[in-house]
Amino acid sequence: MSEGEGRFVKGRWVTDQAPVPESEPESAPVAPTVEEHLHEASQSVKKAVDDLVSAGQHLLGTPEGHEHIQQAAKKAGEDLERAINSWAESARQALQRRRGSS
């Protein structure tokens, strides 16, 4: 039998593995530099734009996309009409107040 630490397991001598020395504790992560932050932000914006372009291409290329665009355009038109009507009403009321105070 060879020398070394071990034990009997089911009648056989099993050597214990040498303990793995603990590695030095990892130092705290280094904060990214300004350049790294800017690079990451730039990459993020580029990905967002690429994703948006891809989604736009998908919208233009499918019947569902055409329907979605049509509904969005209709809603935008209705919102614009409401905004114009609201502005016109406010202008009308302001004009009436001016005429009434003169």
Side-chain angles (χ1 to χ4, degrees):
M1 195 166 22
S2 64
E3 295 197 23
E5 295 187 30
R7 61 192 183 292
F8 280 102
V9 176
K10 295 183 181 179
R12 293 183 48 188
W13 181 256
V14 177
T15 56
D16 291 335
Q17 298 292 328
V20 177
E22 290 187 27
S23 60
E24 294 181 28
E26 293 184 28
S27 59
V30 177
T33 65
V34 172
E35 291 82 16
E36 290 170 333
H37 271 296
L38 291 175
H39 178 73
E40 288 175 15
S42 174
Q43 293 300 105
S44 179
V45 169
K46 182 183 181 316
K47 182 179 180 333
V49 169
D50 289 346
D51 289 347
L52 188 59
V53 168
S54 176
Q57 289 172 342
H58 177 74
L59 284 175
L60 293 174
T62 64
E64 296 86 7
H66 285 231
E67 179 68 24
H68 179 77
I69 290 170
Q70 185 177 16
Q71 292 297 323
K74 182 179 177 184
K75 183 180 181 319
E78 291 168 352
D79 291 347
L80 181 58
E81 185 176 355
R82 271 194 296 279
I84 290 171
N85 289 340
S86 176
W87 174 82
E89 180 62 25
S90 295
R92 185 186 63 74
Q93 289 175 359
L95 187 58
Q96 284 180 346
R97 281 194 299 267
R98 280 187 155 185
R99 285 184 183 163
S101 66
S102 296

